[in-house]
């Protein structure tokens, strides 16, 4: 897999899948995608932990790996924004071959704060040299209304609730937890982000 720095020097990505070839212009991807981990990419029920509570291994939820790889190959910048121990995420994302698809990983252990704290989202934006003026071009995708959605909404970041798991509430406690969009499965994000990215480009032109 090509590293992010090299990929951004190319005008186009070439993706071969099922003998079909598609081209996506890197320069046409204005939207930036923040992703949660647990039950958004990684199935929390499959986590194997050591005696210190560090996750040693886990499985992805269905098609989450395809979602991550497809978004990356289409030229989107991906940032992990997750609560937990940094070593846990390093273990699992390397195990699943997804670690290098992320431009940055913002982990609560390192930030000394957890979502919905604005520090998590501001750190994620800062890691890719974005500021408050850029929040309108960011989407946050997560499974937790009180953390992912509430935190994104508070900063004017577009919120996308992935309702795949039944282990967390699906009904907002109040308006601060109401998502801008809801998807049931990871692959539904692909069409949504293309529409959101197109809307951003139309507003610029």
């Amino acid at each position: 897999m090509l590293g992010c720095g090299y990929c951004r020097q190319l005008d186009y990505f070439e993706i071969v899948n099922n003998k079909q070839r598609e081209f996506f212009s890197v320069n046409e991807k204005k939207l930036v995608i923040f992703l949660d981990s647990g039950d958004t990419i990684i199935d929390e029920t499959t986590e194997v932990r050591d005696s210190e509570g560090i996750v040693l291994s886990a499985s992805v939820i269905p098609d989450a790996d395809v979602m991550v790889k497809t978004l990356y190959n289409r030229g989107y910048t991906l940032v992990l924004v997750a609560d937990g121990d940094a070593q846990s995420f390093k273990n699992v994302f390397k195990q699943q071959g997804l670690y290098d698809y992320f431009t940055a990983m913002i982990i609560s252990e390192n930030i000394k704060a957890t979502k919905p704290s604005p520090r998590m989202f501001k750190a994620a934006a800062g890691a890719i040299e974005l500021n408050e003026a850029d929040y309108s071009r960011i989407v946050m995708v997560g499974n937790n209304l009180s953390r992912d959605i509430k935190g994104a909404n508070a900063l004017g970041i577009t919120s996308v609730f992935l309702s795949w798991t039944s282990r967390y509430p699906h009904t907002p406690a109040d308006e601060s937890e109401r998502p801008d969009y809801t998807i049931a499965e990871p692959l539904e994000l692909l069409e949504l982000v293309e529409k959101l990215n197109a809307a951003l480009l139309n507003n610029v032109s």
Side-chain angles (χ1 to χ4, degrees):
M1 183 182 66
L2 299 177
C4 292
Y6 179 75
C7 289
R8 290 198 181 95
Q9 296 174 16
L10 302 179
D11 290 330
Y12 291 91
F13 286 108
E14 180 178 336
I15 303 150
V16 179
N17 183 22
N18 296 328
K19 298 183 180 179
Q20 293 183 342
R21 185 171 295 172
E22 298 178 273
F23 294 92
F24 297 91
S25 172
V26 176
N27 295 328
E28 291 180 355
K29 302 307 180 188
K30 186 175 177 64
L31 193 71
V32 173
I33 303 170
F34 290 178
L35 290 164
D36 179 40
S37 176
D39 290 340
T40 302
I41 300 172
I42 301 300
D43 185 344
E44 291 184 345
T45 65
T46 67
E47 293 177 347
V48 176
R49 296 176 180 265
D50 66 13
S51 60
E52 302 297 322
I54 300 299
V55 181
L56 301 176
S57 64
S59 301
V60 296
I61 71 173
D63 293 322
D65 52 344
V66 177
M67 172 193 72
V68 169
K69 293 174 182 179
T70 302
L71 291 171
Y72 175 88
N73 286 333
R74 289 184 179 182
Y76 287 103
T77 297
L78 306 180
V79 179
L80 187 73
V81 185
D83 294 332
D85 298 299
Q87 188 61 50
S88 293
F89 296 108
K90 186 174 183 179
N91 290 343
V92 173
F93 279 79
K94 281 187 173 291
Q95 173 208 355
Q96 294 296 336
L98 298 176
Y99 189 84
D100 292 330
Y101 287 89
F102 291 85
T103 300
M105 290 188 168
I106 303 304
I107 309 301
S108 62
E109 179 189 20
N110 298 331
I111 304 302
K112 307 301 182 187
T114 59
K115 295 173 291 183
S117 170
R119 289 171 57 188
M120 289 288 287
F121 301 91
K122 290 180 178 181
I128 52 174
E129 300 182 349
L130 299 183
N131 54 42
E132 292 184 12
D134 299 302
Y135 288 172
S136 62
R137 54 182 285 226
I138 300 172
V139 297
M140 174 69 208
V141 185
N143 72 310
N144 194 306
L145 294 172
S146 65
R147 293 188 178 190
D148 304 306
I149 305 308
K150 183 173 183 174
N153 287 345
L155 294 177
I157 293 172
T158 299
S159 57
V160 180
F161 176 52
L162 176 56
S163 63
W164 176 82
T165 183
S166 60
R167 299 192 311 113
Y168 295 94
H170 284 201
T171 303
D174 53 43
E175 284 301 308
S176 71
E177 296 184 4
R178 191 171 303 282
D180 294 311
Y181 300 92
T182 297
I183 57 176
E185 299 176 353
L187 292 184
E188 292 180 23
L189 183 63
L190 301 180
E191 181 179 0
L192 175 60
V193 298
E194 290 296 329
K195 291 179 179 178
L196 295 175
N197 185 68
L200 281 175
L201 293 174
N202 288 336
N203 288 337
V204 171
S205 59

